[in-house]
Amino acid sequence: MRALWGFLCLLALPVWAEERLPGWAVYPTGKSFDDLVTDTKAAVKDNGLIVVTQAGPTKAAAARGIVIPGNLVIGAFNNDYAVRVLETSVNAMIEAPIRFYVTENEDGTATLSYKTPSFVFAPYADEGGETLKHIAQELDAKFQAVADSAVK
């Protein structure tokens, strides 16, 4: 019975993540992990951002003989946004680059997730004021466009 309960909890995890993590945008897809990674990176570039960082444990684990599902964090930003954010809040810049998260599902498909830029920059609203809020809203639109393009 415990095994069945554990299995059912694992099945519910993506739904829980979508419903319980405020500020997250979650896009399950029918794409493979590798295809979604490629399409996300292309969409970042096509929408005027730059892939600044990328990190994930999958390849390093494989080198150690451990097989885990595909998992990659892709940090995206650009210098224009960096300069503008810094003009409003030096502290808010710790959040850049803002990250996309590509995860492989048990069925071989992949999910694209990210924290919305407005959510990420919200703790700095008092310091950054309306200008930072506006920048975050611009980035919300950019990140939505990246997601829309990557998951189609």
Side-chain angles (χ1 to χ4, degrees), residues 110-122:
T111 298
L112 178 65
S113 307
Y114 62 92
K115 292 180 186 177
T116 64
S118 288
F119 180 78
V120 170
F121 286 128

Side-chain angles (χ1 to χ4, degrees), residues 16 19 27 39 42 49 55 73 82 89 103-104 111 117 121-123 129:
W16 177 84
E19 293 176 0
Y27 300 89
D39 291 348
L49 298 172
V73 175
S89 169
T103 52
E104 185 176 24
T111 298
F121 286 128

Side-chain angles (χ1 to χ4, degrees), residues 4-64:
L4 177 60
W5 177 249
F7 176 72
L8 291 174
C9 286
L10 284 176
L11 287 177
L13 187 58
V15 173
W16 177 84
E18 291 175 49
E19 293 176 0
R20 299 285 183 180
L21 294 176
W24 282 67
V26 180
Y27 300 89
T29 74
K31 294 184 178 190
S32 71
F33 174 78
D34 290 336
D35 286 346
L36 187 54
V37 166
T38 298
D39 291 348
T40 300
K41 289 178 185 179
V44 165
K45 182 178 179 182
D46 291 346
N47 283 281
L49 298 172
I50 299 165
V51 173
V52 178
T53 61
Q54 52 184 332
T58 309
K59 289 182 182 179
R64 296 175 41 222

Side-chain angles (χ1 to χ4, degrees), residues 63-88:
R64 296 175 41 222
I66 302 168
V67 177
I68 61 173
N71 187 293
L72 186 67
V73 175
I74 301 168
F77 220 61
N78 72 24
N79 187 258
D80 177 61
Y81 285 112
V83 169
R84 291 172 59 206
V85 168
L86 282 168
E87 289 172 346
T88 69

Side-chain angles (χ1 to χ4, degrees), residues 99-112:
R99 299 169 309 269
F100 289 97
Y101 189 31
V102 181
T103 52
E104 185 176 24
N105 304 314
E106 286 185 19
D107 66 357
T109 63
T111 298
L112 178 65

